[in-house]
Amino acid sequence: MAVRAEGLRVPLGREESPKGGVDLEVGFQISRFQIWRFRANAEQTLGPAEGWLKAEAQLQDAVDLAIDNNIYVLHGNSLERYFNGTRQNFNLAAVSPSIERAQKVFTTPDQQMIYLLEPSAERILIYNKNGRLQNQLKSPKLHDAADLFVDER
């Protein structure tokens, strides 16, 4: 199941229940100033939206997001990290040429890295979860790439 909002497709994932024990299916969507959380109810339909951010954020130019224990929000030329509803002090290390129009971000709780796809630059950028650049993969075949999935095994 997935939620579609403002061009972002956000898959449902697992979240620990606030009451403990049982995992809940959750999904997120981004609006202009808020990240909304949806929890699946017993009928496996999405419940009402809950504002997840503790303060308003500028999200109108967000192009993608990825979730591990944090939520990473990709803007064309930058990546923001949020934890527990609060923006974290997080910056990606500089790369040459600089990021201008990244389109996809990918990571999971099991991944060690964060991956950015920038088709216009025909590359995938690989960062560790502290924002340090680990590698830059370039190929003309990436010019037409529309999505990104990585299996680190």
Side-chain angles (χ1 to χ4, degrees), residues 50-63:
E50 304 167 7
W52 185 76
L53 290 177
K54 291 183 172 43
E56 202 171 82
Q58 299 298 314
L59 302 170
Q60 51 269 42
D61 66 343
V63 295

Side-chain angles (χ1 to χ4, degrees), residues 29-100:
Q29 79 178 35
I30 293 180
S31 67
R32 294 180 62 203
F33 304 107
Q34 180 61 270
I35 296 174
W36 300 95
R37 175 174 44 197
F38 297 85
R39 297 176 195 253
N41 57 30
E43 293 81 35
Q44 292 300 305
T45 59
L46 293 179
E50 304 167 7
W52 185 76
L53 290 177
K54 291 183 172 43
E56 202 171 82
Q58 299 298 314
L59 302 170
Q60 51 269 42
D61 66 343
V63 295
D64 198 19
L65 65 83
I67 302 170
D68 58 11
N69 295 322
N70 301 286
I71 294 182
Y72 297 90
V73 178
L74 178 64
H75 302 267
N77 62 356
S78 65
L79 187 68
E80 295 175 340
R81 180 173 68 190
Y82 294 86
F83 179 74
N84 200 23
T86 304
R87 185 173 175 183
Q88 303 297 297
N89 183 14
F90 176 78
N91 294 299
L92 295 176
V95 61
S96 182
S98 62
I99 301 169
E100 293 182 12

Side-chain angles (χ1 to χ4, degrees), residues 10-26:
V10 184
L12 287 177
R14 308 291 286 176
E15 180 178 271
E16 192 173 307
S17 170
K19 297 177 183 167
V22 178
D23 283 353
L24 301 172
E25 292 285 340
V26 296

Side-chain angles (χ1 to χ4, degrees), residues 89-114:
N89 183 14
F90 176 78
N91 294 299
L92 295 176
V95 61
S96 182
S98 62
I99 301 169
E100 293 182 12
R101 292 191 305 256
Q103 295 295 308
K104 295 290 178 180
V105 57
F106 181 82
T107 195
T108 68
D110 299 327
Q111 303 278 354
Q112 300 299 308
M113 302 294 167
I114 301 168

